[in-house]
Amino acid sequence: MARKHTPSFIIELPLVVTPEDDRILQSRMVAGQRLYNGVLHSALKWLRRMRESNDWQTAKAIQRGKKSKRMFRDVRDRFGLSEYHLQAVATEMKNQAGWQNRLGAHETQKIATRVWNSLFEHMKGVRGRPRFKGRRRTLHSLEGKTN
């Protein structure tokens, strides 16, 4: 059943913050950026290893259909390339870095989901290779799962 669309809107308001609040926001954005880059690095490494495997080559040689989709999914699962696995990796990276007070669990999971979406489109050939976030191409926002 198709999902019903309700009218919605977005409003952007400038923040008026104290220097202390600005410092806290900047540290959280930097932590989010570094976490994104760490998760992306791990995911690209697993993707490269997966594509080098014989199972991937076999699935790639099969004519497109249900069997090839199942084989691709099995190979992805074997190499740990799933949204939930990336979320677990992101949580572990955040905890090892000591960013528990900068990033919450929901923000960490959404960062991993962001990496997964870009990586999955790259795997399907829809988009190019995902890029790391640098000084000029930073995260513009952090997203959570709840209000």
Side-chain angles (χ1 to χ4, degrees):
M1 186 168 138
R3 184 175 161 190
K4 293 183 180 180
H5 292 283
T6 59
S8 60
F9 64 92
I10 296 174
I11 184 170
E12 292 184 12
L13 300 171
L15 289 177
V16 179
V17 295
T18 64
E20 177 65 19
D21 290 338
D22 187 46
R23 186 187 65 76
I24 290 169
L25 288 173
Q26 289 300 321
S27 70
R28 289 180 181 188
M29 294 299 284
V30 168
Q33 176 183 350
R34 289 181 179 172
L35 183 63
Y36 179 93
N37 286 340
V39 174
L40 181 60
H41 175 74
S42 297
L44 287 174
K45 183 171 59 173
W46 294 326
L47 177 63
R48 182 176 40 81
R49 288 180 184 165
M50 180 182 70
R51 285 183 171 170
E52 291 172 354
S53 72
N54 291 332
D55 294 337
W56 179 268
Q57 299 300 326
T58 304
K60 194 174 172 184
I62 294 176
Q63 189 175 17
R64 292 195 181 265
K66 288 184 179 181
K67 185 177 180 183
S68 68
K69 280 185 179 181
R70 191 177 328 113
M71 287 182 74
F72 280 128
R73 187 177 55 239
D74 291 342
V75 174
R76 267 197 336 258
D77 290 343
R78 199 170 321 124
F79 279 86
L81 274 175
S82 69
E83 180 178 358
Y84 302 112
H85 185 256
L86 289 181
Q87 287 179 1
V89 167
T91 301
E92 187 173 328
M93 283 183 179
K94 176 194 75 152
N95 292 337
Q96 285 180 352
W99 293 332
Q100 292 88 344
N101 59 346
R102 293 186 190 176
L103 295 171
H106 295 268
E107 291 87 4
T108 302
Q109 290 172 358
K110 285 302 256 185
I111 288 171
T113 298
R114 217 166 160 174
V115 171
W116 170 251
N117 290 338
S118 63
L119 187 77
F120 191 67
E121 288 182 347
H122 172 59
M123 282 193 300
K124 290 191 315 185
V126 175
R127 293 199 172 198
R129 184 175 183 261
R131 298 179 185 185
F132 293 98
K133 303 294 181 190
R135 288 184 182 189
R136 294 199 174 121
R137 184 178 286 123
T138 62
L139 289 179
H140 298 290
S141 64
L142 288 175
E143 182 181 5
K145 289 185 172 185
T146 61
N147 290 339

